[in-house]
Amino acid sequence: ETGVTQSPTHLIKTRGQQVTLRCSSQSGHNTVSWYQQALGQGPQFIFQYYREEENGRGNFPPRFSGLQFPNYSSELNVNALELDDSALYLCASSLPGQQADGYTFGSGTRLTVV
Amino acid sequence: AQTVTQSQPEMSVQEAETVTLSCTYDTSENNYYLFWYKQPPSRQMILVIRQEAYKQQNATENRFSVNFQKAAKSFSLKISDSQLGDTAMYFCAQRLGGSSNTGKLIFGQGTTLQVKP
């Protein structure tokens, strides 16, 4: 049973709209990362949050933003949606310092932009 | 720059047989970690096995083992006694350690593995 929960599971939005995706991290995990996975591709790192601060970012424009809350839940916000934003968005959490353990992933949110 | 390459888009294996998935990577760092993840149709990314770069001994987890060749920057996954439940997409991934750690996992393009009965 996964300790990382994402909502919603599926979402359809119109180009130009804004979207918020949510993630509830595994208990005790205060580091959360977000990834974008296009169909048939490997996930791409968007950013990481630790103690409510962004401390790592991939090659994504500023219209991709995030928040992490004191209870370690987090949000991914995407403004001005484009058709290429259609993808599976994965949230992953880990304990700080547990670099060798990898991440615990959620099952993702499938976003379709039309 | 970090890169991870999986050159086998699709593979198949008969149930109970052994299959090896290939992965090569590139980094200029000495402190890093390598992972194999499994992604079934349920979409959840599941950690299969991990390897610390400073360890020479190849990691093993039950039916799963790796062949880590640091000088060649190769990290292949061997699945023994393949089971129908092993059918999934497999991703090789790398993460930097130490002060270079930003939490960023670099994934390969994935290999779709089908186990046939």
Side-chain angles (χ1 to χ4, degrees):
Chain A
E1 179 182 353
T2 179
V4 178
T5 305
Q6 292 187 242
S7 63
T9 55
H10 295 85
L11 197 57
I12 299 175
K13 287 287 190 178
T14 302
R15 187 172 52 183
Q17 285 187 318
Q18 178 267 343
V19 68
T20 297
L21 310 182
R22 295 179 172 82
C23 172
S24 176
S25 300
Q26 184 162 331
S27 178
H29 286 197
N30 58 5
T31 301
V32 65
S33 297
W34 285 89
Y35 289 80
Q36 180 195 66
Q37 185 179 15
L39 193 62
Q41 301 295 316
Q44 300 289 317
F45 176 74
I46 302 175
F47 45 56
Q48 174 175 277
Y49 277 80
Y50 171 62
R51 290 186 175 178
E52 303 171 50
E53 297 285 335
E54 182 182 302
N55 72 342
R57 190 176 184 92
N59 189 26
F60 281 83
R63 60 189 185 85
F64 286 78
S65 63
L67 285 172
Q68 186 184 29
F69 302 100
N71 65 355
Y72 305 138
S73 64
S74 65
E75 292 180 351
L76 165 65
N77 299 289
V78 187
N79 294 321
L81 283 167
E82 301 177 359
L83 296 179
D84 285 348
D85 296 333
S86 295
L88 178 68
Y89 288 85
L90 296 167
C91 169
S93 70
S94 71
L95 289 166
Q98 300 298 319
Q99 301 168 2
D101 293 340
Y103 279 108
T104 301
F105 282 83
S107 296
T109 294
R110 173 73 67 190
L111 172 65
T112 301
V113 182
V114 297
Chain B
Q2 291 175 268
T3 60
V4 177
T5 302
Q6 294 177 249
S7 59
Q8 305 154 313
E10 297 180 355
M11 294 193 72
S12 64
V13 63
Q14 291 297 132
E15 193 175 9
E17 293 189 346
T18 296
V19 65
T20 299
L21 308 183
S22 301
C23 172
T24 58
Y25 63 93
D26 193 18
T27 181
S28 57
E29 302 287 336
N30 286 318
N31 185 1
Y32 57 89
Y33 304 87
L34 297 167
F35 307 90
W36 277 98
Y37 281 90
K38 167 185 176 181
Q39 188 177 40
S42 66
R43 310 182 319 198
Q44 185 193 358
M45 200 74 74
I46 301 166
L47 180 63
V48 173
I49 198 166
R50 59 179 176 257
Q51 175 83 41
E52 293 92 332
Y54 61 85
K55 290 187 177 179
Q56 294 185 348
Q57 186 174 5
N58 289 325
T60 299
E61 289 285 344
N62 300 313
R63 298 183 294 107
F64 300 88
S65 62
V66 298
N67 183 5
F68 175 45
Q69 300 291 326
K70 191 172 182 178
K73 295 183 179 176
S74 171
F75 183 62
S76 60
L77 174 69
K78 185 172 81 171
I79 306 174
S80 303
D81 186 25
S82 297
Q83 301 176 359
L84 296 178
D86 295 333
T87 293
M89 196 156 188
Y90 286 80
F91 291 96
C92 178
Q94 180 190 49
R95 178 178 181 179
L96 295 181
S99 59
S100 299
N101 174 38
T102 61
K104 180 179 182 179
L105 276 169
I106 302 293
F107 286 87
Q109 306 93 316
T111 297
T112 300
L113 175 66
Q114 183 178 16
V115 180
K116 298 179 178 179

